Amino acid sequence: MGKSLKRIKTILSDGEAGTMLTVKGWVRSRRTSKQVSFLVLNDGSTIKTLQVVVPAEIATASVVDDITTGASVSIKGELVESPGKGQRVELRATEVELLGSASGENYPLQKKGHSMEFMRGIAHLRARTNTFGAVFRVRSTLAQATHRFFGERGFNYVHTPIITASDCEGAGEMFEVKTSGKDHFFGREAMLTVSGQLNGEALAYGLGLIYTFGPTFRAENSHTTRHLSEFWMIEPEMAFYDIDDDVDLAEDYLKALVNSVFEHNPHDLEFFNKFIDKSLVSTLETIRDSRFERISYTDAIGILQASGKKFEFPPAWGDDLQTEHERFLTEEHFKRPVAITGYPKSIKAFYMYNNDDEKTVAAMDVLVPRIGEIVGGSQREHRIERLEERLLADGMDLEDYSWYLDLHRYGAVPHAGFGLGFERAVMLCTGMQNIRDVIPFPRAPGTAAF
Ligand code: ATP
Ligand code: MN
């Protein structure tokens, strides 16, 4: 069926005048005069459109009446040089077939310039718009770049469970998994995972280098523009590596992501820079070209306190950094990405490596402009006595962590890893301001339609 079918992206870049071909797509707009109809077609392969000229001889009533904005069509024709500006070639139709009409006035994407809120209400249709087509193409590029990046460095892609009985020590509130009938289907409480890390560590202790890339769930009732209830996370884990290697890996990975968009989505990027965020390209160039700043949490608190800036939450040693603090550091103070290491032990999870000062752990966050935290990671505590000590001090039952402790009982080695929120990376690379607009069908408190 699709053998002679050409995608618009290929036609626009390589198509030669004189070629006969078939193109299928959706009508973005139509203009009709006595002699001729112009159709503007998009097929999702690119943000660019193909102009189709339908001569009056073949412009039957059905072409004129039913091929409206939103309709799907199949068009056979000859590629000709375009006399118009902005395109090299256009298609002179010899056969026009209506595949699916869009019944006139009811099609909700009739006009341009709908609000993002309105688009969220028609999430099943929004992939047909310029903005969301570009977002989802960039999302795909970033996913493929992720697999390429880790694959080329010898990381093994592993699959960790989505249904889990461990809570990754309060990484977030969890969703319970139940059947509609029998309780305790798994013989115990089960939840949707908040992180694949603990399982990932078990695999790294064997494969050396691993990464996960999967869905993650958090039941926090947060209504911010940076949190979802269901989001995707990439979690590499490296045996025999430490916190500095972890920061280096995060920097290389973020740069690879940004590079992939420059390489594969130049037209989408141009569109975002024009219509969504005028500083997008310069922000991405900074990420690509500058070495990330590396500072300690203690120094970061010092900079924030000396800044003279009025923060809603005054920065204090021992408290977690707020988004306003993170954004000040990366956007105003350093004007580039910042990796912060050495957080107070008391605000971090039990599995993080205890530094010699006994006050801080080898945690690291990477902060980027416009987003704040995009990566959170750590060197892991591999010394079993220290793990047990901390769990007991936190009032935890060692039995609940038995397999994780057991893992470190045999052949434990220094290891480190991090989690990158995939949607935050998509926000970063598109300039989109709300995380609900970079995942096709967002799940957030009160939101699970579609
Ligand atoms: P935040 O402080 O922004 O809420 P966190 O510290 O709770 O994030 P981590 O547990 O460190 O998040 O998770 C690793 C990464 O996953 C974060 O750096 C972030 O990019 C992403 N992330 C965390 N929670 C969410 C969420 N609810 N929605 C989307 N991405 C998230
Ligand atoms: Mn974090």
Side-chain angles (χ1 to χ4, degrees):
M1 187 187 172
K3 262 189 202 145
S4 61
L5 190 64
K6 277 266 185 291
R7 297 275 276 164
I8 289 176
K9 183 179 180 181
T10 318
I11 297 173
L12 294 178
S13 60
D14 310 339
E16 279 174 30
T19 320
M20 292 299 295
L21 50 82
T22 303
V23 56
K24 300 185 187 190
W26 293 271
V27 176
R28 281 289 169 82
S29 66
R30 190 199 68 191
R31 215 153 30 86
T32 298
S33 69
K34 281 208 193 74
Q35 300 81 25
V36 67
S37 285
F38 292 101
L39 305 178
V40 173
L41 275 199
N42 184 275
D43 66 359
S45 59
T46 165
I47 197 158
K48 306 257 177 210
T49 49
L50 177 69
Q51 167 147 291
V52 178
V53 186
V54 185
E57 313 88 82
I58 66 160
T60 57
S62 98
V63 170
V64 178
D65 297 339
D66 295 335
I67 300 186
T68 56
T69 297
S72 48
V73 292
S74 171
I75 295 172
K76 214 181 210 170
E78 182 187 355
L79 216 52
V80 296
E81 264 167 44
S82 176
K85 269 197 239 128
Q87 70 234 344
R88 203 172 51 81
V89 286
E90 60 186 35
L91 191 67
R92 183 155 271 277
T94 53
E95 260 179 72
V96 175
E97 186 190 350
L98 175 67
L99 299 176
S101 81
S103 58
E105 283 123 59
N106 295 330
Y107 182 60
L109 295 171
Q110 215 63 254
K111 282 179 286 198
K112 290 186 176 165
H114 290 298
S115 71
M116 295 294 171
E117 288 76 14
F118 175 81
M119 294 295 195
R120 253 168 253 150
I122 52 163
H124 59 305
L125 299 176
R126 67 182 181 167
R128 303 180 192 195
T129 64
N130 277 336
T131 302
F132 289 93
V135 167
F136 301 141
R137 274 189 299 274
V138 167
R139 192 180 162 103
S140 167
T141 293
L142 293 174
Q144 291 175 343
T146 294
H147 288 300
R148 230 178 300 118
F149 175 82
F150 288 109
E152 282 169 0
R153 277 164 186 73
F155 283 72
N156 294 285
Y157 175 36
V158 301
H159 299 99
T160 50
I162 288 169
I163 297 175
T164 176
S166 70
D167 77 349
C168 211
E169 221 261 334
E173 296 295 309
M174 303 185 82
F175 292 102
E176 250 183 86
V177 177
K178 287 180 170 165
T179 66
S180 47
K182 184 164 151 239
D183 273 346
H184 280 212
F185 182 91
F186 298 102
R188 57 183 301 169
E189 270 193 331
M191 274 91 65
L192 293 180
T193 185
V194 292
S195 161
Q197 181 199 316
L198 302 187
N199 295 95
E201 284 183 57
L203 291 154
Y205 269 20
L207 292 164
L209 303 174
I210 64 97
Y211 71 105
T212 71
F213 185 173
T216 324
F217 306 85
R218 302 210 179 161
E220 290 135 31
N221 192 21
S222 47
H223 294 260
T224 76
T225 54
R226 311 179 320 136
H227 292 91
L228 289 165
S229 310
E230 177 181 292
F231 63 101
W232 287 66
M233 190 145 66
I234 291 94
E235 296 183 276
E237 190 71 39
M238 308 181 281
F240 311 109
Y241 290 86
D242 67 12
I243 184 74
D244 295 329
D245 304 315
D246 209 28
V247 173
D248 292 346
L249 181 73
E251 174 167 0
D252 289 350
Y253 174 39
L254 274 166
K255 287 184 159 139
L257 289 181
V258 166
N259 274 323
S260 72
V261 180
F262 277 119
E263 185 182 346
H264 296 284
N265 301 72
H267 300 310
D268 294 326
L269 211 46
E270 202 178 300
F271 170 84
F272 289 128
N273 201 60
K274 197 159 166 200
F275 296 107
I276 303 290
D277 173 2
K278 297 208 160 26
S279 63
L280 176 67
V281 168
S282 69
T283 303
L284 295 180
E285 284 171 347
T286 304
I287 296 175
R288 183 189 64 190
D289 301 334
S290 66
R291 178 170 155 83
F292 290 11
E293 188 63 41
R294 285 149 168 82
I295 55 164
S296 70
Y297 165 89
T298 303
D299 288 348
I301 294 291
I303 290 168
L304 291 165
Q305 288 173 334
S307 70
K309 207 169 156 97
K310 281 264 164 298
F311 292 109
E312 195 189 332
F313 297 90
W317 203 100
D319 293 348
D320 211 351
L321 296 179
Q322 301 291 325
T323 303
E324 55 173 344
H325 305 144
E326 297 173 342
R327 292 191 59 175
F328 172 81
L329 290 168
T330 174
E331 286 170 17
E332 295 181 47
H333 189 82
F334 290 113
K335 298 190 171 61
R336 56 189 156 131
V338 186
I340 301 187
T341 52
Y343 284 75
K345 196 171 172 166
S346 56
I347 56 170
K348 290 293 180 181
F350 79 95
Y351 52 72
M352 297 190 181
Y353 184 83
N354 289 270
N355 290 328
D356 292 342
D357 63 12
E358 297 297 333
K359 287 192 309 223
T360 62
V361 288
M364 67 105 170
D365 277 4
V366 178
L367 320 176
V368 290
R370 292 196 315 100
I371 311 276
E373 178 184 337
I374 190 165
V375 166
S378 63
Q379 182 176 329
R380 320 305 189 188
E381 184 55 82
H382 63 286
R383 298 165 296 188
I384 189 162
E385 325 76 56
R386 302 303 301 260
L387 281 170
E388 288 176 344
E389 226 170 79
R390 171 71 190 268
L391 284 170
L392 292 171
D394 289 354
M396 313 300 278
D397 189 346
L398 295 189
E399 204 37 52
D400 290 345
Y401 293 87
S402 60
W403 74 256
Y404 185 76
L405 290 169
D406 203 44
L407 179 67
H408 294 91
R409 194 163 285 127
Y410 314 111
V413 295
H415 59 295
F418 62 74
L420 171 128
F422 188 58
E423 283 72 23
R424 294 201 187 164
V426 184
M427 290 174 78
L428 179 71
C429 293
T430 57
M432 296 294 283
Q433 317 233 323
N434 192 316
I435 199 165
R436 297 175 193 209
D437 298 330
V438 297
I439 188 166
F441 304 105
R443 269 80 181 104
T447 303
F450 309 104

